Amino acid sequence: MYDPDLVKVQGWGVPMLVCVVHGWNDGLGANPNGEVHGVIISVPVSLMEKAGTYRFVLHFYDDYADSYRNHQVKAASEVNALAEPLRFEVSTDPSGDSQEGHPGHQIGKKEKTKFYVVIKATLNWRGEPGKTIAFMLKRTKTGEVKRKTGYLVTDPNDPDGPKDIGSGLKRWTFRTHKVVNDEGVTDWVITREKGRWEIKVAPPHESNTVKFKINKRKQIVITANSWVGYILPENETMLCHEFTAKVYNHVDIRLTGTVQPQYDATVPDEGEGCLIFYTVRNFPDAAHVGIQDGEYIIDINCWEGHSRDVRRHSQGYLARLYKATQQEQGYTPQDPQKKAPQELKNLDGE
């Protein structure tokens, strides 16, 4: 506080005061995304001996040598060496070597299956960098935006820590929160997300943008395969069309549990993750449906008397089986029809 003659009268350590916004002494810490604080300063009247206007000067400071007070990266360090920005790699592969065409980092089995994006970071820096980062996720087609803040941990594939690269710089490598020893995941679950996305890193790091596509077909096949070998309890039933609907619904492509609406809502398709219907001309509904995985079909309860489990069968085997079965029952057999929901086809085009 300064008197009317601009002579300093008193000063206060403001971070030591209670923040009236948060209700406790939080140190009035800053945040890259913005933070509001408030304090009440009691000024004794005895300090105001002169008539006139008294002025308060607020001095803000931080302890980050690598960024300005507005959290933008400093152009140069104290020795005029360029500071390298934080570079991000978005990977949907747990090994971290692909950004395109993967379904995500998978954990869990059957109905517990989830897929995650792994965000890796490399940084050339002096000293130890801050590990909390913010990034924006934007879906390319719809403009949908999600904002996330992640806490970086040392990359388990780089266990020896930072590497000296000369001129006082060290190269740090990180992965997102909880990815340790190839276990755990980031906190952005993409099981139910769809389409192409881009991630833009928020300041104080360089706003580089990384694009990637969530591969729903791979998710469908992985989820279906996670059921293989599962045996239904004696008191439960699940027919083939109920099984396929369950798999598709898990990755947020909604199918009903009955065959006819499922069949009507599909379009011709030859790709993996599509549905394969075995039908007969004498009967409008599908006699059987499974999920394609290359040359195999993942299905359940293929025919009457079959054991109550999820299995993988070759397409040729099931085609022969159903033609023979249908002929024995007096129906006119028809070649299997490969189809996929329109929503999945739309995602293919993004």
Side-chain angles (χ1 to χ4, degrees):
M1 184 180 74
Y2 291 81
D3 67 16
D5 297 324
L6 299 183
V7 175
K8 183 177 179 180
V9 177
Q10 183 65 281
W12 291 266
V14 178
M16 315 298 250
L17 302 178
V18 173
C19 173
V20 296
V21 175
H22 300 108
W24 61 293
N25 188 334
D26 58 5
L28 308 183
N31 188 303
N33 297 320
E35 187 71 88
V36 175
H37 296 286
V39 294
I40 297 176
I41 302 174
S42 300
V43 181
V45 177
S46 59
L47 294 178
M48 302 180 183
E49 297 178 345
K50 300 178 183 179
T53 301
Y54 285 76
R55 294 171 173 83
F56 289 89
V57 177
L58 304 181
H59 176 209
F60 297 94
Y61 63 94
D62 57 35
D63 58 355
Y64 290 95
D66 56 2
S67 60
Y68 296 111
R69 285 192 293 272
N70 64 352
H71 305 288
Q72 298 293 324
V73 176
K74 286 185 177 178
S77 65
E78 288 72 16
V79 294
N80 293 322
L82 289 178
E84 293 290 334
L86 189 60
R87 300 278 182 179
F88 285 93
E89 170 192 345
V90 180
S91 177
T92 52
D93 188 314
S95 64
D97 46 17
S98 177
Q99 296 180 9
E100 183 74 25
H102 284 264
H105 182 17
Q106 175 207 2
I107 65 167
K109 288 292 184 182
K110 294 191 282 297
E111 293 178 278
K112 302 294 184 181
T113 306
K114 292 182 179 179
F115 300 89
Y116 296 80
V117 165
V118 175
I119 301 175
K120 296 185 66 177
T122 59
L123 173 66
N124 296 340
W125 211 261
R126 288 177 174 81
E128 183 171 355
K131 297 178 182 179
T132 302
I133 55 100
F135 47 91
M136 181 184 75
L137 302 155
K138 182 178 180 180
R139 186 173 175 188
T140 307
K141 183 176 181 179
T142 64
E144 177 185 356
V145 173
K146 297 177 182 289
R147 303 181 189 277
K148 294 290 182 180
T149 299
Y151 185 79
L152 300 176
V153 297
T154 302
D155 190 339
N157 293 337
D158 186 24
D160 298 328
K163 307 294 190 298
D164 289 320
I165 58 174
S167 301
L169 288 172
K170 294 182 178 181
R171 176 163 294 149
W172 299 75
T173 60
F174 300 102
R175 284 194 176 191
T176 2
H177 180 50
K178 295 182 182 177
V179 183
V180 180
N181 298 325
D182 288 330
E183 298 177 359
V185 291
T186 65
D187 60 358
W188 186 44
V189 183
I190 67 168
T191 305
R192 300 189 180 280
E193 303 292 350
K194 300 180 286 291
R196 291 187 180 274
W197 291 80
E198 60 183 44
I199 288 187
K200 183 176 181 180
V201 183
H205 310 298
E206 180 182 276
S207 292
N208 59 91
T209 300
V210 182
K211 298 181 180 181
F212 66 97
K213 184 177 189 294
I214 296 173
N215 191 329
K216 280 294 177 182
R217 288 182 177 271
K218 286 282 189 181
Q219 288 190 357
I220 290 166
V221 169
I222 289 176
T223 302
N225 273 301
S226 71
W227 281 83
V228 172
Y230 175 73
I231 301 176
L232 285 169
E234 288 296 330
N235 60 342
E236 290 186 16
T237 59
M238 182 166 60
L239 299 177
C240 57
H241 55 275
E242 296 171 324
F243 167 70
T244 53
K246 186 181 289 289
V247 170
Y248 266 80
N249 291 352
H250 186 77
V251 298
D252 206 34
I253 296 179
R254 297 298 170 182
L255 298 179
T256 64
T258 58
V259 174
Q260 188 63 44
Q262 193 177 62
Y263 182 83
D264 290 342
T266 56
V267 293
D269 192 342
E270 292 290 330
E272 67 175 355
C274 73
L275 301 171
I276 299 185
F277 295 92
Y278 297 88
T279 58
V280 291
R281 288 188 176 89
N282 313 60
F283 187 62
D285 277 351
H288 185 76
V289 62
I291 295 174
Q292 182 180 7
D293 176 13
E295 293 300 314
Y296 292 89
I297 305 299
I298 305 169
D299 55 12
I300 191 170
N301 292 341
C302 288
W303 64 88
E304 188 176 357
H306 188 277
S307 57
R308 303 161 53 82
D309 59 355
V310 181
R311 293 192 180 188
R312 286 165 57 89
H313 299 90
S314 71
Q315 293 185 38
Y317 170 72
L318 285 187
R320 292 190 301 271
L321 170 70
Y322 274 93
K323 280 194 175 183
T325 302
Q326 291 162 4
Q327 287 172 338
E328 290 173 2
Q329 296 177 353
Y331 293 113
T332 303
Q334 186 172 330
D335 290 334
Q337 300 181 48
K338 301 177 182 179
K339 295 174 177 284
Q342 184 63 51
E343 183 180 5
L344 183 60
K345 297 292 287 183
N346 292 342
L347 289 173
D348 291 340
E350 287 194 7

